[in-house]
Amino acid sequence: MTWTTRTTWTAWTVAPEPVDSPVAVALWQEYHTEVSDRWYLLHEGRRTDPAELERAIAAQDWAELTPPGGQLVVGRYEGAPGGCAGVRLLDATTAELKRMFVREALRGKGGAPLLVRAAEDAARALGATRIVLDTRTDLVEARALYARLGYTETEPYNDNRYAEHWFAKPLDR
C-alpha cells in the first residue's frame, strides 16, 4: 500500500518499509539522536554520548513494527527518505504510534500529517479501532501535530519513564 500527496511544489510518498532496511536504520539513527539530544540538553546541558546512543538504539525491539503485529512506514520527499512512523498492536483493538519522525530540513512541507495518517491506515489494517501514543513535554511540535490531527490527551496507558503526555484517537473505519 502506498500513500501519496502532491501539491504544485512538493511530492511525498509513504509506503511500508522493512525495519532493517538501510533507509529505516538511518532514519532511526537521526530520530534517536534528535530526541536524545533534546532531552539531555534540557535536563543535563549536554548532548548524548555516541556510545550511549548506540546502546539505546541496539536495545530497541524493532520487530514490534513488523507484521503481523506492527508496521513501519517511510515517507520520501521527492524520492529521498524524509521521515518514518510505526505502529504496533497493544491488544486486538488498540495500536500504538511509535517513532514518528520527519527530518528537520523537511518539516513544514506536509510530511508529518501524511506519515501519521499512513500509520493510522496501517493500524486499521492490523484490526485496530483506536490508536494511542506517548510523548514528552519538550516535543512541542509533536504535541501540536497530534492535537491538529484529532488526538486528545488521555490518562497514561504505559509506564514509559520519558513520557509526560499520552494521547488517544478513535480510528473510524
Side-chain angles (χ1 to χ4, degrees):
M1 187 177 305
T2 301
W3 301 268
T4 304
T5 186
R6 294 187 187 282
T7 67
T8 57
W9 53 275
T10 64
W12 279 94
T13 59
V14 179
E17 182 86 18
V19 296
D20 58 352
S21 76
V23 167
V25 171
L27 288 167
W28 281 333
Q29 180 80 27
E30 261 184 82
Y31 164 84
H32 279 285
T33 300
E34 181 175 338
V35 296
S36 184
D37 280 354
R38 283 176 75 159
W39 191 89
Y40 278 113
L41 285 168
L42 179 65
H43 296 284
E44 297 184 11
R46 68 174 178 90
R47 294 195 179 279
T48 310
D49 174 83
E52 181 181 13
L53 183 64
E54 287 304 317
R55 284 190 304 275
I57 292 171
Q60 296 294 312
D61 181 11
W62 305 113
E64 68 187 8
L65 301 181
T66 62
Q71 182 68 64
L72 173 71
V73 295
V74 166
R76 287 177 170 76
Y77 180 78
E78 296 180 350
C84 61
V87 292
R88 68 178 181 142
L89 287 176
L90 296 179
D91 60 43
T93 61
T94 306
E96 182 180 34
L97 180 65
K98 303 289 291 179
R99 311 292 183 259
M100 172 56 210
F101 174 71
V102 174
R103 287 185 158 152
E104 187 173 7
L106 298 176
R107 292 179 188 157
K109 297 183 182 290
L114 187 61
L115 280 163
V116 171
R117 288 187 186 109
E120 291 171 355
D121 287 345
R124 282 184 199 91
L126 294 169
T129 58
R130 178 175 178 255
I131 191 165
V132 297
L133 65 94
D134 65 36
T135 192
R136 300 186 328 228
T137 299
D138 64 307
L139 300 176
V140 176
E141 307 91 339
R143 291 183 9 247
L145 170 70
Y146 301 135
R148 274 195 319 273
L149 296 178
Y151 287 77
T152 56
E153 201 147 353
T154 187
E155 293 298 314
Y157 65 88
N158 64 21
D159 60 358
N160 177 351
R161 72 181 195 151
Y162 296 109
E164 299 163 309
H165 299 271
W166 293 262
F167 290 85
K169 178 180 178 181
L171 293 175
D172 301 327
R173 294 279 170 188

